[in-house]
Amino acid sequence: MVTTTPSANRRAFLVLAALPILLTGCRAEYHGHDSGIDGALWRQIASFEDALSWDLSQPSDGEPGAYLDGQEVPRWDGSEASAAALDLRSGGVAIYDVSSTDSAAGFSVFIASGPRPDIVTDEGRTYSGPSTVYTCYGIEAEFQSSAGPSADKTIFDDCPPTLVELLPEDAAFASGAVFDG
């Protein structure tokens, strides 16, 4: 006869309760300013986003097409072939869904943090979260004066699966709002 202790029963219950989550491939997600995202991953995303913001804020000749052409960011055309050419696993930025009119330029942004360094958390604990985080959002730049474009950001709830599939299995989505402010 096999006997079990209450703590053994509790552990078995927790393992069985977690099994559906593990089998469905549920990924971690981060939302809002106080999301609990790891500081190292946050800074990695912010470094890519800051460089992109700097490029976007540079004066242009007032023409949306020239403004888009001046962006030194890899572009994804929506195909699997052009996605495979991006080195997002190492971290980086890609823009997609690029469009322009006579007075506006629009595009979507995908940013991957790249691998998290093997360091303790900002709180001094051993890190146990995702190895990579990613985010995406839309930018619409209006050209109405010679002062340069004014850009609006639209936060997306998810990112294109074709780009996400380029990342490690444990990569986690972080809403663009996590990096605002």
Side-chain angles (χ1 to χ4, degrees), residues 31-109:
H31 296 274
H33 182 68
D34 294 327
S35 66
I37 192 169
D38 172 67
L41 290 171
W42 187 95
R43 288 186 291 277
Q44 286 174 242
I45 289 282
S47 71
F48 289 117
E49 191 172 40
D50 289 349
L52 177 65
S53 294
W54 172 256
D55 286 347
L56 296 177
S57 68
Q58 295 307 302
S60 70
D61 66 2
E63 199 273 316
Y67 173 76
L68 288 170
D69 290 343
Q71 301 307 313
E72 305 261 340
V73 179
R75 294 186 187 203
W76 175 53
D77 67 10
S79 72
E80 286 188 30
S82 73
L86 300 170
D87 188 19
L88 294 173
R89 207 170 174 88
S90 299
V93 179
I95 61 174
Y96 59 100
D97 293 339
V98 177
S99 64
S100 65
T101 66
D102 290 340
S103 62
F107 54 92
S108 297
V109 176

Side-chain angles (χ1 to χ4, degrees), residues 102-128:
D102 290 340
S103 62
F107 54 92
S108 297
V109 176
F110 181 91
I111 305 175
S113 67
R116 186 190 184 282
D118 188 18
I119 59 175
V120 296
T121 66
D122 292 350
E123 296 79 26
R125 293 189 291 256
T126 301
Y127 179 70
S128 64

